[in-house]
Amino acid sequence: MGTALKIDNLCYRYGDRLALDNVSFACSEQESLGILGPNGSGKTTLFRILSTIAESQSGSIQVFGSDFEGNLAVVRRSIGVVFQSSSLDMKLTVRENLKHQGLFYGFHGAELDSRIDELLEKFGIAERGADYAGILSGGLRRRLELAKGLLHRPRLLLLDEPTTGLDPSSRADFWRYIDQIRTSENATVIFTTHLIDEADRADLLAILESGQVVAFASPKDLRTGICQEFVVLECDDDDRLSTEVGQDFDVTVEKVDGSIRIGTNDSGKLVADLLAKYGDSIHAIHSRKTTLEDVFFAKTGKWLN
Amino acid sequence: MVELITIILPVYSLLRREFVLFYRQKSRIVGTVLQPLIFWIVIGSGLDKSFISRDNMGYSEFFFPGIILMVILFTSVFSTISIIEDRRAGFLQGVLVTPVSRGTIVLGKILGGTLLGLMQGILFLLLAFTPLISIELSVIRLILLVSYMFLIGFSLTGLGVLIAWKMDSIQGYHGIMSVVLFPLWIFSGAVFPADGVPVWLFWVMKLNPLSYGLDLMKGCLYDSSGFQSSPNDTILALTLMILFCLVNFAVAVRFAQCRA
């Protein structure tokens, strides 16, 4: 499998502020790559550069082996972009929106019509073709955006926080369509998000904080890279207990929102040991799998959400 | 051939969108045709008796080409203001990430506004064949007149695009409209003739590119007009208008080519 995207030492400044600081990563064809970060981490700037709206200031980007700068037309042909804000014309119908998009990519006539039919069918909006985009629900508009971004059969699909503003069922729906696209259109998918559960869907995840990539691996490797599980307990005197547990068990103990959090690879044994030793002081105790939220905290010292 | 298709299809797409959106926004028709019509009838009737021109022309007749110019100007303003709306709504960024060159995007946008203005200008021109006004137009003059109207529309829409491209608010555009676009019209000889005006005003009018566009139109509608008295003047006026048109187009494309 060839390389779909390769970013080397990308930097971007807004005046004195460094929005992207030596960002480097790569992903292969047909992989999905998530870019996870809070607001202000630089992910929107990165997306603006990848979608060719903004020009990179230093460093290099290659898409399917083509350098970004100097090959914009080629790059633009190979990428499909779904912005966070709508790029639909609300006063045009669903079909007209797609038709305009097709004409921009040189499609016309019967070929364009059949591609539009195919996409409307695929995204379950065939019966809404004659409706104005403005009267579609949020979920359907997102699907139309997807159809628009995919119309010219891009090899790389870029999505900027694509489920913003959608209710949980529309979000689930949207990701189901993305999974479908990856197989049916053979597309590489790159998306930005600040949501843990969406980030978990990626094959590869880049965690961005203050313009830097602080972690880059598969979500599974990122999680197991810290520890498999966490034991969380609540007690009266968390200062005392956290010091004692740290000394007695040789583990890293963190106090989070009035609870004590301990990373472990064997939570069953740890819970039993803790209860045996401090049973009287503990009000509640539970163990849970490590999440990407924990990974984010481990890498940045901050919580994402 | 393949190259040409990559220009024709997007231009057609933008043009079509311009007309479809115009048709779906009935209020725009009121703003661009009805308002100038009321202007022309009210101001024309009001000033007809008190207006004395070099050519013994009534004010309605004098004001006629000026009001067609207004129709073209208003259409180009309304059409280019949508660039700001499109940018805010997000439609424009969807266009900017396509492989279509910025020059083609600007061309499509300008042609859309131009043809829309031309269509309305021609509708207005039909008044010349009614008893409301006594203008005789030969076929050749009519063709020339429509060509000049196209040239003026292209120039003004180009100017509108280059202004709108750098603006982030519709209010800002309205500001520019009232200090740049509207005065361009007022000082073009559309509202009052250049004869007998103070020297400073004469020069303002003489330096206004739109004066030459209006002169070209007047040259088709009447036998004599403002600055033109010989065929050489017509060639000069045409050259200046073409230059104005090309400069606006080039600057609009240049602005559109800038990336963040």
Side-chain angles (χ1 to χ4, degrees):
Chain A
M1 217 55 89
T3 306
L5 173 73
K6 191 169 182 296
I7 302 177
D8 286 305
N9 304 316
L10 188 67
C11 293
Y12 196 90
R13 280 177 183 284
Y14 295 102
D16 285 342
R17 198 174 71 80
L18 197 56
L20 292 176
D21 184 2
N22 266 309
V23 169
S24 301
F25 57 78
C27 79
S28 303
E29 279 180 54
Q30 292 178 34
E31 269 182 332
S32 73
L33 168 76
I35 299 167
L36 175 71
N39 292 335
S41 60
K43 59 184 190 311
T44 298
T45 303
L46 181 57
F47 188 87
R48 283 169 56 80
I49 295 172
L50 291 179
S51 63
T52 75
I53 287 279
E55 199 169 353
S56 65
Q57 293 167 342
S58 72
S60 74
I61 310 170
Q62 286 189 336
V63 171
F64 303 107
S66 292
D67 267 322
F68 236 61
E69 297 309 322
N71 288 309
L72 276 182
V74 176
V75 169
R76 283 175 173 152
R77 198 158 277 283
S78 60
I79 61 171
V81 186
V82 176
F83 291 99
Q84 189 181 341
S85 56
S86 171
S87 74
L88 302 173
D89 189 326
M90 300 301 172
K91 294 185 206 82
L92 295 181
T93 67
V94 167
R95 242 195 134 74
E96 283 169 342
N97 266 289
L98 294 175
K99 195 152 190 153
H100 279 272
Q101 181 77 355
L103 290 168
F104 269 84
Y105 284 88
F107 288 84
H108 56 99
E111 187 195 10
L112 177 56
D113 285 336
S114 75
R115 177 66 176 157
I116 292 174
D117 289 337
E118 181 194 339
L119 288 168
L120 290 178
E121 201 62 50
K122 183 177 275 175
F123 290 105
I125 39 178
E127 72 283 5
R128 305 298 299 271
D131 288 344
Y132 287 125
I135 64 163
L136 296 184
S137 68
L140 292 187
R141 276 186 205 174
R142 285 277 97 183
R143 285 195 228 161
L144 177 56
E145 292 271 2
L146 258 187
K148 195 179 162 195
L150 283 169
L151 196 131
H152 63 289
R153 299 191 178 87
R155 294 165 72 193
L156 173 63
L157 184 65
L158 299 170
L159 311 161
D160 188 18
E161 303 201 14
T163 60
T164 302
L166 295 188
D167 62 37
S169 87
S170 305
R171 276 179 51 202
D173 216 35
F174 183 86
W175 286 106
R176 198 164 43 79
Y177 283 109
I178 295 290
D179 290 340
Q180 247 180 53
I181 290 160
R182 291 184 58 196
T183 34
S184 68
E185 306 268 333
N186 287 329
T188 309
V189 174
I190 296 181
F191 64 93
T192 65
T193 185
H194 62 272
L195 301 171
I196 295 295
D197 58 330
E198 290 189 352
D200 241 325
R201 296 175 154 273
D203 297 330
L204 275 174
L205 188 65
I207 298 181
L208 212 58
E209 165 61 14
S210 303
Q212 291 180 323
V213 177
V214 292
F216 182 73
S218 73
K220 184 166 174 279
D221 287 350
L222 286 174
R223 281 194 305 267
T224 51
I226 317 178
C227 58
Q228 308 231 339
E229 293 159 305
F230 278 95
V231 170
V232 181
L233 58 89
E234 282 169 34
C235 59
D236 279 333
D237 188 354
D238 54 354
D239 281 334
R240 183 183 59 83
L241 201 64
S242 61
T243 318
E244 284 180 17
V245 170
Q247 284 163 356
D248 293 349
F249 289 90
D250 190 26
V251 286
T252 312
V253 182
E254 283 153 329
K255 287 188 291 174
V256 179
D257 294 335
S259 322
I260 293 175
R261 198 182 71 135
I262 310 156
T264 176
N265 287 332
D266 186 354
S267 64
K269 185 172 180 307
L270 183 62
V271 168
D273 290 351
L274 285 168
L275 283 173
K277 192 147 191 185
Y278 311 106
D280 294 342
S281 322
I282 297 171
H283 296 317
I285 186 164
H286 73 273
S287 70
R288 59 166 177 80
K289 295 256 182 244
T290 302
T291 66
L292 287 172
E293 183 85 61
D294 300 312
V295 175
F296 189 83
F297 184 79
K299 300 289 180 187
T300 66
K302 289 181 227 168
W303 293 102
L304 185 61
N305 294 311
Chain B
M1 200 57 202
V2 177
E3 289 300 308
L4 202 58
I5 276 279
T6 62
I7 295 174
I8 291 172
L9 292 179
V11 166
Y12 163 71
S13 173
L14 286 169
L15 237 164
R16 205 183 110 106
R17 174 171 180 259
E18 202 74 40
F19 274 80
V20 168
L21 294 185
F22 177 78
Y23 179 73
R24 287 180 191 164
Q25 281 178 289
K26 302 280 187 273
S27 59
R28 271 178 68 177
I29 304 177
V30 176
T32 50
V33 177
L34 223 55
Q35 194 195 348
L37 185 66
I38 293 168
F39 247 61
W40 180 62
I41 292 173
V42 172
I43 297 179
S45 315
L47 288 176
D48 248 346
K49 292 283 178 282
S50 49
F51 177 75
I52 306 153
S53 85
R54 192 175 58 183
D55 319 302
N56 287 326
M57 197 183 271
Y59 193 74
S60 301
E61 201 176 338
F62 169 82
F63 197 32
F64 189 64
I67 211 80
I68 293 179
L69 188 63
M70 189 190 197
V71 171
I72 296 172
L73 175 72
F74 276 16
T75 312
S76 71
V77 165
F78 272 104
S79 152
T80 51
I81 228 167
S82 68
I83 291 177
I84 301 167
E85 285 168 8
D86 286 344
R87 185 188 296 282
R88 298 196 132 196
F91 177 81
L92 187 64
Q93 63 181 359
V95 170
L96 295 181
V97 298
T98 66
V100 176
S101 78
R102 299 291 159 92
T104 305
I105 293 170
V106 169
L107 180 68
K109 186 71 201 169
I110 296 181
L111 270 182
T114 306
L115 293 180
L116 211 53
L118 193 64
M119 184 185 81
Q120 296 170 79
I122 289 173
L123 262 175
F124 216 95
L125 195 57
L126 292 178
L127 288 175
F129 301 100
T130 65
L132 280 174
I133 183 169
S134 54
I135 291 174
E136 277 172 35
L137 264 177
S138 67
V139 176
I140 292 173
R141 281 188 173 202
L142 187 65
I143 292 170
L144 264 180
L145 179 60
V146 171
S147 314
Y148 294 151
M149 283 160 64
F150 178 87
L151 184 63
I152 294 167
F154 201 99
S155 311
L156 287 176
T157 317
L159 186 63
V161 170
L162 78 87
I163 294 169
W165 204 277
K166 292 281 178 187
M167 295 251 126
D168 53 10
S169 80
I170 288 175
Q171 289 83 349
Y173 189 102
H174 278 298
I176 296 282
M177 187 179 98
S178 50
V179 298
V180 177
L181 297 175
F182 211 60
L184 268 184
W185 176 72
I186 292 177
F187 300 121
S188 67
V191 188
F192 50 83
D195 320 314
V197 296
V199 177
W200 68 269
L201 191 51
F202 177 82
W203 278 102
V204 169
M205 293 173 79
K206 188 130 181 128
L207 292 172
N208 177 3
L210 213 51
S211 302
Y212 300 93
L214 187 73
D215 265 10
L216 289 169
M217 285 173 66
K218 285 182 175 174
C220 296
L221 286 164
Y222 318 119
D223 287 328
S224 65
S225 62
F227 296 112
Q228 296 178 77
S229 48
S230 70
N232 275 344
D233 290 342
T234 308
I235 290 167
L236 177 72
L238 187 58
T239 312
L240 288 173
M241 260 326 275
I242 290 173
L243 216 64
F244 181 53
C245 179
L246 290 179
V247 168
N248 287 345
F249 180 65
V251 177
V253 173
R254 191 81 207 99
F255 281 2
Q257 276 167 340
C258 293
R259 285 203 288 150

